Amino acid sequence: MVAFLLTFLLVGSAEAMRIKDVADIQGVRSNQLVGYGLVVGLNGTGDQTSQTPFTIQSMRSMLERFGVRMPAGQNMQLRNIAAVTVSAELPPFAKPGQEIDVTVSSLGNAESLRGGTLLMTPMRAVDGQVYAMAQGNLVVGGLAAEGADGSSVTVNIPSAGRVPGGATVEKAVPTSFGGKDRFIFNLHEPDFTTAHRVVEVINERIGPNTARARDAGSVAVRAPNDSSRRVSYVSLIENLEVTPDEGKAKVVVNSRTGTVVVGRNVRVMPAAVSHGSLTVTIDEDFQTDQPAPFGEGETVVTPESEVDVEQEDAPMFLFEPGVELDSLVRAVNEVGASPSDLVAILEALKQAGALRAQFEVI
């Protein structure tokens, strides 16, 4: 019973929220950056270069840029270097000279990046241009250790780490924030009622015809002609409070964890439910019949089966017309259903047309 109550979550009613919490301004977004580089200074935990030839190729290319040429056919066995991917998120309005955090992940078969240093790595966006340069000492939260007898222990993930402030922005991403005649607010969850309420709040506070809903997911707001006023203007709008409309009546079931989420607007039409299980147990045994001493009979083995049938008491409960969520929860708890039983009951109610909600399994 306790496990069921812990996994049965209820979605409450909507409350007033700031516009900045329910919508984003179109064009104001972060951008993903990625790069390929080398981590050096590892304590024998780097790539096995015989199995990762691209690590050696990268090392040769770097040395050649510094005027060091390796003899052709030279087979280098380096265990203090690792090929890595470097990823970061470039925030909106980031300017050259600002620093951002980067994540470094092993690309080959390095055992650990602990103690390593990331060499200068250009970071590119989807357009192929370099927007940041990364370099620095890694902070690795994982740990790996191995004994001489082959026993080993691994804590977290030692083949990935971060460099706080490890990348310097070299180029700003172009933005049209100061050049448009209107802002577009995109709702996180498109809804016609919520979009209408956002328009009403903005027009009531700023002025008539300031905002106009384009569709269920976006609201267009007129921008001031003076670009110097746009920051304060957006600050005023995004701090206005609006009450988002409640979502559709929905039941969401996570089949892997047994979590069941039921929306507050879920209703059950008149229905009677009985849920139970039938258990059949068959126990096979063998009996041996021995002949009398010095007799001419033979030993005979005869099977003996015992069949037991058990059926749990399954009390039936009745839903009245328009039953709300709390009544549904109380009725199911009284039956003592497990999460899997609850899913079966809800599916049966949906098939019977008695569950007024969308049923979604994730």
Side-chain angles (χ1 to χ4, degrees), residues 86-362:
V86 186
S87 58
E89 189 170 293
L90 185 64
F93 307 117
K95 299 298 187 292
Q98 293 181 326
E99 296 180 345
I100 56 176
D101 299 343
V102 298
T103 300
V104 181
S105 304
S106 173
L107 192 61
N109 53 11
E111 297 176 2
S112 174
L113 299 181
R114 179 178 288 271
T117 300
L118 174 68
L119 298 182
M120 187 170 59
T121 303
M123 305 194 66
R124 304 175 186 273
V126 67
D127 58 2
Q129 300 186 37
V130 176
Y131 285 88
M133 296 295 293
Q135 181 171 284
N137 298 322
L138 270 70
V139 177
V140 180
L143 174 65
E146 184 175 352
D149 60 350
S151 59
S152 61
V153 60
T154 302
V155 180
N156 296 330
I157 306 297
S159 56
R162 287 180 65 83
V163 183
T168 303
V169 178
E170 300 292 338
K171 180 180 179 181
V173 177
T175 176
S176 57
F177 177 77
K180 292 184 177 180
D181 60 349
R182 64 187 65 246
F183 301 115
I184 306 298
F185 286 83
N186 295 323
L187 300 181
H188 298 161
E189 297 181 5
D191 183 88
F192 287 105
T193 304
T194 302
H196 175 67
R197 292 177 181 177
V198 170
V199 171
E200 285 187 330
V201 169
I202 295 176
N203 288 339
E204 180 180 352
R205 181 63 183 271
I206 307 299
N209 301 322
T210 300
R212 180 177 59 86
R214 287 187 166 184
D215 48 43
S218 61
V219 174
V221 181
R222 287 190 306 174
N225 295 327
D226 187 357
S227 59
S228 63
R229 296 176 49 202
R230 297 195 173 191
V231 173
S232 58
Y233 183 75
V234 171
S235 175
L236 173 63
I237 293 177
E238 67 180 7
N239 282 285
L240 297 177
E241 291 191 346
V242 63
T243 302
D245 189 40
E246 296 181 5
K248 296 180 180 179
K250 182 181 293 188
V251 176
V252 181
V253 177
N254 189 321
S255 58
R256 295 179 296 275
T257 64
T259 302
V260 181
V261 180
V262 182
R264 193 176 73 92
N265 294 321
V266 173
R267 295 291 185 272
V268 179
M269 303 307 291
V273 177
S274 177
H275 185 77
S277 60
L278 181 69
T279 302
V280 179
T281 304
I282 301 177
D283 186 13
E284 294 286 354
D285 197 4
F286 295 92
Q287 297 292 333
T288 303
D289 294 333
Q290 295 281 2
F294 305 104
E296 296 181 357
E298 296 181 355
T299 301
V300 178
V301 178
T302 57
E304 182 177 347
S305 301
E306 182 179 351
V307 181
D308 184 24
V309 179
E310 295 182 0
Q311 185 172 8
E312 297 180 359
D313 294 334
M316 178 175 290
F317 53 93
L318 176 66
F319 290 126
E320 299 294 340
V323 168
E324 296 186 355
L325 177 61
D326 55 349
S327 300
L328 172 62
V329 175
R330 186 165 54 253
V332 175
N333 281 338
E334 289 176 357
V335 175
S338 65
S340 58
D341 293 331
L342 173 63
V343 173
I345 292 173
L346 293 175
E347 285 180 337
L349 287 172
K350 182 65 175 178
Q351 291 297 322
L355 184 65
R356 291 293 188 262
Q358 294 181 1
F359 194 85
E360 182 178 341
V361 180
I362 60 176

